[in-house]
Amino acid sequence: MGPLRWLPLLGQLLLLWPPAARPAGPIRAFVVPHSHMDVGWVYTVQESMRAYAANVYTTVVAELVRKEQRRFIAVEQEFFRLWWDGVASEQQKQQVRQLLDEGRLEFVLGGQVMHDEAVTHLDDQILQLTEGHGFLYETFGIRPRFSWHVDPFGASATTPTLFALAGFNAHLISRIDYDLKDAMQEAQDGRVLVPAAFTGISICDEVALEGLQFVWHGSPSLSAEQQEIFTHVMDHYSYCTPSHVPFSNRSGFYWNGVAVFPEPPPDGVYPNMSEPVTVANIHLYAEVLVANVKQRAAWFRTPHVLWPWGCDKQFFNASVQFDNMDPLMEYINNRTAQFGISVQYATLNDYFQALHDSNVTWDIRDHHDFLPYSSEPQQAWTGFYTSRSILKGLARQASALLYAGESMFTRYMWPDPRGTLDPTWALQQLRQLRWAVSEVQHHDAITGTESPKVKNMYTEHLRMGMLGVRKLMASIALHGPPVPDTATDGKRKISTVASSKEVNKFQMAYSNLLRANMDGYTRPVGYSASVYNPLAWKITTIITLTVAFPSVSVTDELGHPVSAQIQNSTKDPSAYELLILTTIPGLSYRHYQVRHARGDQAGTGELVAPRANTLKFSLKLRNQNTQEGKLLVPVTNDCYTLLFDQDTNMLHSVQDRQSNHTVHVTQEFLEYQANGDVKQGPISDNYLFAPNDTAEPSWEAVGMEMVAGALATDIRQYFYRNITDQDYIYSIHTRLAHVHPSLGGELLCQRIEQQYRVGPLDLNREAILRTSSDLNNQQVLYSDNNGYQMQQRPYKAFKRNPIPRNYYPMVQSAFIEDDKSRLVLLAERAHGVSSQENGQVEVMLHRRLWNNLAWDLKYNLTLNDTSVVHAGLWLLLGPKSTMTALRPRSGLALQHRPVVLLKELADEETPVHI
């Protein structure tokens, strides 16, 4: 749920409009009772269950049983499953089954949540949909046939594709750009004047445009019969019943009032309860409802009007709701000739069946999405693409770990389990993380638009689920199937299940890894590292461990030395980073032993990992006069040459060695300043991005050091807000691996890995990384829909709010290109991305905001995020043909990196030969 503060005013204005010409024939109003229940947002799931969610299902079921003309649609499954498993009686469960059989209760959408469409990954959309649909099929033997995606902040083309492939018959959305929705409402004749920003041609163009109902072909790569779906866009009233009633300053058609947290009021009296329907006022209620139905009817091609009855947290007292609506609907139906409409309770099946029976030929919409979303001229909902970046990163990490855990467990169990691992316990660990990852896909979760306590709830659920799956994977890695023959000499060892003590050693290794220099802590002699590859193909990559000693030997399962590199840690000055080169077959794992070497190679016979050399450069001011490009330091592997300018400590250019083409590339951090006072103009918040002006550089000086080793060279740049500061505010750690592509290291060689540190930010700042190049992209950006397919994003010259309205979500990848080269960015979490100038691509990395908007203050939605964000991107550069093939595989390699399971070694432990 997002702010709906504009609805009451809009309702008043629309009621004053002259009635439009309605479609020919009698108007049928399909009144669809529903309750919008956010899985989180302002209150936690448990608070919502206590305050209203459980009562919705308890009272709705009771009221549907009372009168057979009543209907209700149930949407998200998390609350329903909690009610079903923990609240519902056997009698209520039987009543639900009967209502479903009779079609009077209908599950629509049916996912665990109503997922966000802008910043969720396709894998996670499928997961949460499967989680909800699986429950419905196992419990009732049914599957939903219609979507109800009314509250996500913009509409992705991935969602209709997914829903079509999932067997949905129709798709329903609501939040699309206000300008475009205005135009679509007037587009019944197929041609309409569309604002120039949506056409890119002139100030206003008469173009063909589908209306609010069309058939959407969401994917250009699939056949129409696979992925086309009828789509209904809700009109300007959104999914809520108009709340304004002229004769009552309460809440219109919501007779049960507003939910009270955390516990319902003991006297049953709720605030803002609407005036009951009486003989004295029923004609007034009827006139308002009829006028609204007629107004909506003018925006659609058939005389069938979907009239949603409900809003957030409604129907927690369903008896009050139905007991007031029943006589009102009867009153209207008894005067159909006078009013010109009939009304009936309906499910989505009832409504869409009526549309189908009308035999209308609908317009076709292609694969373009409805992003970004603006609700008003100065309210571009593009800030949430980046809000709460840490939660976005954790959600993706949890998703990747779940995938790894499920594939490892499947490999352990098939074709028959080895050892005595309890499958029931294992499935419980996976199920807990499946629930948590599904939950956080909610449109007020991964979006970062929730209150702090709800963010903490999501985080806790994810971390607990991840802990359980790590325990499962550790148990399998200790005593699971043997490593494949390609990693051994054919010897095999089958063991029994790992003990709890052994599994706990894996978990303790993470918390103890950096404690070696603490008083009273016994330094371990080393670690056992089990490294699992969750991808289906063999990979060659570098894993990085943090160790407490500078002299290290690394051996594999057979005791053979392994290529490695040791260097100073960027996280802890008393620790070291150990880089290990590993090659792992698909869905397999390797075991390594990392030991503290007691002497040098000559004295002990151990092969000690070589120490990387560190070269430090003096601090450079941002605006100092230099001869740019005169003192360039190259960093080279077989795929790229990176050139860094000693006079500026900045990246200067990147050469793609395959094509021998050099692109000038620079990177720096900038900040947008946001207004925090609503009296001074538009504000940025969790949802909205409303900068005061263009972004400004946020640093005064930059330091640089290069750490060169046999496996990789790291370039570390540190950006200081002021030259006198002791601590840097931003950093870029760039890694170029020295692995020949012909040795299985193609993907590793052809990527430039970057890690960023951002924060803590000053108040009301929004931080971006801007990469500027000499590519002639003409401000055309490509960014992905949910890690699935790319969308072209030409810069649109909006007269109002052009900067935020040209921001788009980057879930996994984005690129700019010209006729020679393509520069690709791959992300391990969602960000906002834009091309504001030719050759530029900027990625928003972090936001810290506070404002005095009453809405945000009331619900603690001010996003005063003081955290430090550690985000990462991989950069790829080369000809279009090469990048087209490389981008998808590299994106998977970033999303599903090897999982490392550590265990401390005791002195007496020796290498394990498998």
Side-chain angles (χ1 to χ4, degrees), residues 478 498-508 903:
L478 276 168
S499 67
S500 297
K501 183 177 180 181
E502 288 174 308
V503 173
N504 288 337
K505 285 184 179 180
F506 268 85
Q507 305 305 320
M508 289 172 60
K903 185 185 78 167

Side-chain angles (χ1 to χ4, degrees), residues 296-367:
R296 292 172 187 258
W299 296 329
F300 294 92
R301 293 178 59 186
T302 74
H304 307 308
V305 175
L306 190 158
W307 201 79
W309 178 35
C311 197
D312 293 55
K313 311 175 190 66
Q314 289 300 310
F315 283 88
F316 57 84
N317 188 342
S319 63
V320 176
Q321 291 285 84
F322 282 112
D323 285 346
N324 281 277
M325 184 60 86
D326 284 351
L328 176 58
M329 292 176 63
E330 182 181 6
Y331 182 88
I332 294 172
N333 286 332
N334 288 337
R335 293 159 179 78
T336 296
Q338 173 187 343
F339 288 127
I341 74 167
S342 65
V343 293
Q344 66 185 82
Y345 289 124
T347 63
L348 288 192
N349 179 67
D350 298 326
Y351 174 71
F352 284 121
Q353 185 63 52
L355 287 186
H356 177 75
D357 293 343
S358 63
N359 200 29
V360 173
T361 300
W362 302 99
D363 295 330
I364 302 294
R365 179 178 177 83
D366 66 11
H367 66 279

Side-chain angles (χ1 to χ4, degrees), residues 30 198 218 236 285 302 338 363 508 511 530 551 608 659 665 673 700 716 787 822 828 836 838 878 895:
F30 293 78
F198 290 104
H236 259 314
Y285 267 116
T302 74
Q338 173 187 343
D363 295 330
M508 289 172 60
S511 59
S530 296
S551 185
V608 178
S659 64
V665 179
Q673 293 195 30
E700 188 177 86
R716 304 169 179 174
R822 177 180 291 176
E828 36 79 80
Q836 298 282 336
N838 190 37
Q895 174 72 9

Side-chain angles (χ1 to χ4, degrees), residues 519-583:
D519 294 338
Y521 176 71
T522 303
R523 178 195 300 260
V525 299
Y527 303 95
S528 169
S530 296
V531 186
Y532 177 68
N533 171 23
L535 293 171
W537 67 81
K538 182 169 70 174
I539 63 168
T540 295
T541 191
I542 294 173
I543 61 170
T544 302
L545 306 179
T546 303
V547 297
F549 28 77
S551 185
V552 181
S553 67
V554 184
T555 55
D556 64 12
E557 303 91 349
L558 303 176
H560 296 157
V562 176
S563 297
Q565 171 180 320
I566 195 81
Q567 59 195 39
N568 292 336
S569 172
T570 59
K571 299 177 181 177
D572 189 319
S574 63
Y576 303 88
E577 291 177 354
L578 174 64
L579 282 59
I580 302 174
L581 181 66
T582 181
T583 297

Side-chain angles (χ1 to χ4, degrees), residues 623-638:
N623 292 319
Q624 70 183 29
N625 294 323
T626 62
Q627 293 181 313
E628 183 179 348
K630 294 298 183 181
L631 296 172
L632 299 179
V633 181
V635 179
T636 300
N637 69 2
D638 288 312

Side-chain angles (χ1 to χ4, degrees), residues 250-251 254-261 264-265 267-274 314 316:
R250 295 186 178 179
S251 54
Y254 309 138
W255 291 282
N256 56 348
V258 175
V260 176
F261 289 83
D267 60 2
V269 177
Y270 289 81
N272 296 325
M273 294 181 72
S274 294
Q314 289 300 310
F316 57 84

Side-chain angles (χ1 to χ4, degrees), residues 821-862:
S821 296
R822 177 180 291 176
L823 176 62
V824 177
L825 307 181
L826 297 174
E828 36 79 80
R829 71 188 71 186
H831 300 279
V833 64
S834 184
S835 181
Q836 298 282 336
E837 298 290 344
N838 190 37
Q840 287 184 356
V841 56
E842 61 184 53
V843 179
M844 188 174 290
L845 298 176
H846 197 9
R847 315 176 75 218
R848 183 187 175 193
L849 303 164
W850 187 92
N851 67 77
N852 60 354
L853 183 68
W855 175 276
D856 289 340
L857 295 178
K858 178 179 179 180
Y859 295 114
N860 197 11
L861 295 175
T862 56

